Amino acid sequence: MQKSLISQVQLGRQYAKEWPMRKELAPLFPEFRVIRATDLALQTMPILAMFTVFFQTSLLGMEYLPQSIAIALFFLTLPVQGLLWLGKRCETSLTPALNSWYRDLYQKMVANGYQGDICTRKPTYRELAKLLSDMFDKMDKAFTKENL
């Protein structure tokens, strides 16, 4: 079932908040870089879009308004593309290798006293994000270094 564009963007925003922004995960998953780039784009692209329209129309004249609006709209869609990717990614099932790593990590956490529910069906990246967040929040540093 296909989701609407708005719900996909909202889902990406939620996933960006749930993903543990730890430098240890940066080489393993692209989420760290995508979330950082999307956050930067959310802060800078609206300002850049306004400056583009302002400077092009003031320096080149009003006949360049359509081109400057097109460029501004392009700048405004860049953070949306990151959020759409994150929304799609959070619902994607884990690869077989990541699935076995997810289950092994969960078993090791349970053996160390973790009380959380495992996903019975094929886990998604969102469930992996929740498990990794719990690992960083609830487990000690020796356990975290050993399992990454």
Side-chain angles (χ1 to χ4, degrees):
M1 185 168 121
Q2 192 160 353
K3 292 186 174 244
S4 72
L5 186 70
I6 305 267
S7 64
Q8 197 79 13
V9 168
Q10 289 172 344
L11 191 61
R13 196 78 172 146
Q14 290 171 350
Y15 181 59
K17 290 178 184 174
E18 292 172 359
W19 185 262
M21 293 299 289
R22 303 288 300 244
K23 291 192 186 268
E24 299 96 328
L25 298 175
L28 301 173
F29 301 100
E31 278 84 351
F32 184 84
R33 294 179 298 279
V34 172
I35 291 170
R36 285 278 170 104
T38 303
D39 286 343
L40 180 65
L42 282 169
Q43 294 172 0
T44 59
M45 289 302 155
I47 296 167
L48 189 59
M50 287 188 318
F51 281 134
T52 298
V53 172
F54 174 73
F55 284 124
Q56 282 188 347
T57 55
S58 66
L59 294 175
L60 300 174
M62 289 305 285
E63 61 271 4
Y64 286 93
L65 182 63
Q67 291 91 337
S68 63
I69 289 176
I71 294 169
L73 287 175
F74 170 74
F75 286 147
L76 292 174
T77 61
L78 289 176
V80 175
Q81 291 175 29
L83 292 173
L84 283 173
W85 186 88
L86 288 168
K88 176 75 173 153
R89 176 78 167 198
C90 81
E91 294 180 326
T92 304
S93 297
L94 296 176
T95 62
L98 275 178
N99 190 0
S100 66
W101 183 68
Y102 172 86
R103 298 209 185 271
D104 289 343
L105 181 62
Y106 177 79
Q107 294 300 328
K108 289 177 184 177
M109 287 173 66
V110 167
N112 284 312
Y114 174 70
Q115 295 177 353
D117 50 331
I118 190 169
C119 178
T120 55
R121 57 176 174 66
K122 199 168 185 182
T124 62
Y125 280 93
R126 186 176 212 170
E127 287 143 357
L128 177 65
K130 290 177 184 177
L131 186 69
L132 288 172
S133 292
D134 286 347
M135 181 184 73
F136 285 114
D137 293 342
K138 297 177 181 174
M139 297 290 160
D140 61 352
K141 291 185 181 193
F143 178 85
T144 303
K145 285 186 180 184
E146 176 184 312
N147 290 296
L148 280 184

